[in-house]
Amino acid sequence: FLDPHYAEHPEYFEDLKVWQDPLCRMRFGQIPVISVSFGSCKGIDYAHSIRGMLNSLKAMYSSQDDLLTSERLEEDDRNEFKEIREALFRGEETVVENSIPILCRLVYKHYGVKPVILLDEYDTPMQEAYVYGYWKEFTSFIRSMFNSAFKTNPYLERAVMTGITRVSKESVFSDLNNLNVVTTTSEEYETCFGFTEQEVFASLDTFGVNEYKNQ
């Protein structure tokens, strides 16, 4: 909804409640979004997990391919984007740590607006690291990555991280500031996620499942 890539397609959102909100409408297509998921970053050892992360970051860069032809970027900027993307395709671990803040800077130069980062399943690689015994090695790496992406990144508007594990303000997140932790038991945003009872019943009616009315 926020991403300029969809600014010319209001029809995708006109039937949603977000379209009816005047404040949200003002921001439609106005804020660049960098989206990445670590859901596939699984492995029995550190190397396997990093390969999964490289694939996720590769997809993240590919989604911003229009930067390669941006007239708002200098040639050095476009070359930097290309070099990072190609290094991710080659599986070079050394570019992983700074790949997100570099992309934020280039996106900001292109749009003139600081981007929002959406990181889904942030905790999947950490769970794998704990289960398979490479926790210490991996957490040292991910702490440094989170620091460069979410703390020392001057081109970040805000970030949303989602996962099934509660964020702890210690360990890998000890370096981050201004964390707002929202869980399934939090009242904050409770009207923004999930389904109300009425919505569940309406969905069941749509699919012809009405046994619930007899209970």
Side-chain angles (χ1 to χ4, degrees):
F1 182 83
L2 301 173
D3 199 326
H5 287 109
Y6 297 95
E8 297 182 1
H9 294 284
E11 67 274 12
Y12 294 166
F13 308 98
E14 289 174 344
D15 293 333
L16 304 179
K17 286 186 177 180
V18 66
W19 190 257
Q20 310 305 320
D21 187 290
L23 184 61
C24 292
R25 284 279 294 277
M26 288 175 60
R27 290 168 170 74
F28 170 63
Q30 299 297 312
I31 304 175
V33 176
I34 295 174
S35 179
V36 60
S37 173
F38 286 168
S40 62
C41 303
K42 301 179 179 181
I44 60 173
D45 56 30
Y46 177 84
H48 278 85
S49 187
I50 293 299
R51 279 200 292 272
M53 189 168 292
L54 283 163
N55 287 331
S56 297
L57 295 171
K58 181 171 58 178
M60 178 187 73
Y61 264 72
S62 295
S63 69
Q64 303 289 340
D65 266 354
D66 50 333
L67 296 179
L68 288 170
T69 56
S70 172
E71 296 182 355
R72 298 175 184 174
L73 298 184
E74 299 175 1
E75 184 177 357
D76 287 345
D77 295 322
R78 292 191 293 270
N79 287 338
E80 183 176 29
F81 176 90
K82 187 176 181 180
E83 289 170 2
I84 296 292
R85 189 187 64 166
E86 291 178 350
L88 291 170
F89 271 85
R90 291 193 299 268
E92 296 181 14
E93 181 185 334
T94 55
V95 301
V96 169
E97 182 178 324
N98 292 313
S99 59
I100 293 178
I102 288 174
L103 185 59
C104 281
R105 174 171 56 81
L106 298 178
V107 166
Y108 172 73
K109 293 187 71 172
H110 176 67
Y111 291 105
V113 179
K114 293 181 179 180
V116 168
I117 295 177
L118 303 180
L119 173 55
D120 188 30
E121 297 196 54
Y122 77 90
D123 52 345
T124 296
M126 288 185 282
Q127 293 177 45
E128 294 287 299
Y130 181 80
V131 170
Y132 290 106
Y134 55 97
W135 171 260
K136 185 175 181 179
E137 181 183 16
F138 186 81
T139 52
S140 176
F141 163 80
I142 202 70
R143 181 185 296 112
S144 180
M145 181 181 182
F146 282 171
N147 183 286
S148 63
F150 303 124
K151 182 178 181 179
T152 60
N153 182 0
Y155 302 100
L156 171 66
E157 173 62 28
R158 67 181 59 193
V160 178
M161 298 190 296
T162 57
I164 62 172
T165 306
R166 180 186 174 92
V167 171
S168 169
K169 295 183 180 180
E170 295 79 33
S171 186
V172 297
F173 299 103
S174 59
D175 289 341
L176 302 187
N177 299 326
N178 303 316
L179 284 175
N180 183 19
V181 180
V182 181
T183 70
T184 55
T185 59
S186 302
E187 294 183 359
E188 190 174 9
Y189 304 119
E190 66 179 356
T191 61
C192 300
F193 300 95
F195 301 92
T196 65
E197 184 178 51
Q198 291 75 17
E199 288 170 337
V200 171
F201 289 164
S203 297
L204 292 172
D205 286 338
T206 298
F207 290 95
V209 181
N210 52 22
E211 287 82 358
Y212 66 89
K213 294 180 179 179
N214 299 324
Q215 297 180 6

